[in-house]
Amino acid sequence: MFKKKTITMQSITTFILSFWVNTTRIKNNQVSFFARVTVNVERANISLQRRIVLSEWDSNRGRA
C-alpha cells in the first residue's frame, strides 16, 4: 500500500494600521484625520470624521 503525503503551503498574512492627515485641504488651520488599513497589500482609507489642528500632528510618530 502507498501512503498519501499531503503538502500544505503556509500563507503569511500582513496587517498594517496607520493614521495620516490630509494636508491638501486645510480649513481654519485644521485638517481631516484618516486611517489606512492594509491587509496583504490591499489598502482601504477610512475617514474618521474628525479634524485636528495641524500643529498638533506629529508626522514622524503618526499621531497627535
Side-chain angles (χ1 to χ4, degrees):
M1 292 261 173
F2 295 102
K3 288 186 179 180
K4 185 177 180 183
K5 187 175 182 180
T6 305
I7 300 173
T8 58
M9 295 182 67
Q10 293 181 343
S11 62
I12 297 173
T13 303
T14 59
F15 178 83
I16 301 169
L17 177 63
S18 54
F19 298 96
W20 57 285
V21 294
N22 188 355
T23 58
T24 59
R25 295 185 178 178
I26 298 173
K27 185 176 182 181
N28 296 331
N29 201 30
Q30 293 185 341
V31 291
S32 299
F33 190 52
F34 291 86
R36 175 177 283 162
V37 179
T38 307
V39 178
N40 293 338
V41 190
E42 296 290 325
R43 289 187 231 156
N45 294 328
I46 303 166
S47 173
L48 300 177
Q49 301 296 316
R50 300 284 188 261
R51 296 182 72 80
I52 63 168
V53 178
L54 182 59
S55 61
E56 292 179 359
W57 180 253
D58 185 354
S59 61
N60 292 331
R61 290 183 167 183
R63 66 182 187 182

